[in-house]
Amino acid sequence: MNDRTRPGALRRLVVLRHAKSAWPPGIADHDRPLAPRGRRDAPAAGRALAAADCLPDLALCSTAVRSRQTWELASAQWGTPPPVHHDPRVYTADVTDLLAVVRTTRTEVETLLLIGHNPALEELVLTLAGDALDDTLERVRLKFPTSAIAVLTWYGPTWDALAPGTALLTEALVPRGGNAGRGD
């Protein structure tokens, strides 16, 4: 196959919704920390990513405290965490904004982790997934709770080629830490 017909590298977009947050009185939404359950679930998310062989080359993370704490606790489960970029656009993003942020990723990044907020993350997964393995798409449609992970795979020469309906949803899971319930 020559370069003109090659579809590009296999790329993975790993979407992680921040872990469960607290609602302390008088604290602005952007500054809300993780709740105790979130502090248990975020490391479980990191372990789940390692077990699924989905460790990223780069992480894009919302600047919100709960997202940053999710990143810190999840990535602490890996030997050497990848670089992280805390992008303020992810905090208030809609699907169009998130896709624009993802499309700026450097070509050499093959697995990208995006940590942020709903409803935008769930909508992004549903927008990008043209197909899915097993019942992953139905599970995301039903609920994308805190600490949920979705893995989208696709072939492309660059990240700016990622478009609606072009990815395969290969994983949808909700890791929980010890003593945490299954609900949101």
Side-chain angles (χ1 to χ4, degrees):
M1 193 180 275
N2 64 38
D3 287 340
R4 303 191 106 208
T5 59
R6 187 171 296 146
L10 174 63
R11 299 184 186 281
R12 292 187 298 183
L13 175 60
V14 180
V15 177
L16 170 59
R17 184 175 172 199
H18 66 77
K20 186 71 175 174
S21 60
W23 294 84
I27 300 295
D29 182 74
H30 186 273
D31 299 328
R32 290 190 298 119
L34 291 179
R37 189 180 98 200
R39 296 191 70 71
R40 291 188 303 268
D41 291 349
R47 290 188 297 274
L49 288 172
D53 195 26
C54 282
L55 296 183
D57 302 314
L58 175 70
L60 294 176
C61 184
S62 163
T63 56
V65 169
R66 58 194 178 273
S67 295
R68 293 172 74 99
Q69 289 176 335
T70 298
W71 160 252
E72 291 164 5
L73 292 168
S75 66
Q77 304 305 303
W78 313 327
T80 303
V84 61
H85 175 68
H86 297 284
D87 193 318
R89 297 174 295 174
V90 176
Y91 174 63
T92 58
D94 61 17
V95 173
T96 303
D97 299 330
L98 287 177
L99 194 49
V101 169
V102 167
R103 285 177 173 160
T104 65
T105 302
R106 296 182 324 271
T107 301
E108 60 270 13
V109 173
E110 292 181 354
T111 300
L112 175 66
L113 174 62
L114 176 64
I115 304 170
H117 312 272
N118 255 8
L121 289 183
E122 178 180 339
E123 292 169 3
L124 179 68
V125 171
L126 296 174
T127 296
L128 293 175
D131 201 358
L133 297 182
D134 303 321
D135 66 342
T136 53
L137 199 53
E138 291 79 22
R139 285 188 281 139
V140 171
R141 279 188 186 120
L142 181 64
K143 189 171 188 180
F144 198 67
T146 55
S147 299
I149 298 170
V151 180
L152 296 149
T153 61
W154 63 287
Y155 286 94
T158 62
W159 283 91
D160 64 355
L162 181 58
T166 61
L168 174 67
L169 180 61
T170 60
E171 296 269 353
L173 52 133
V174 183
R176 295 293 187 215
N179 300 324
R182 295 292 304 174
D184 189 32

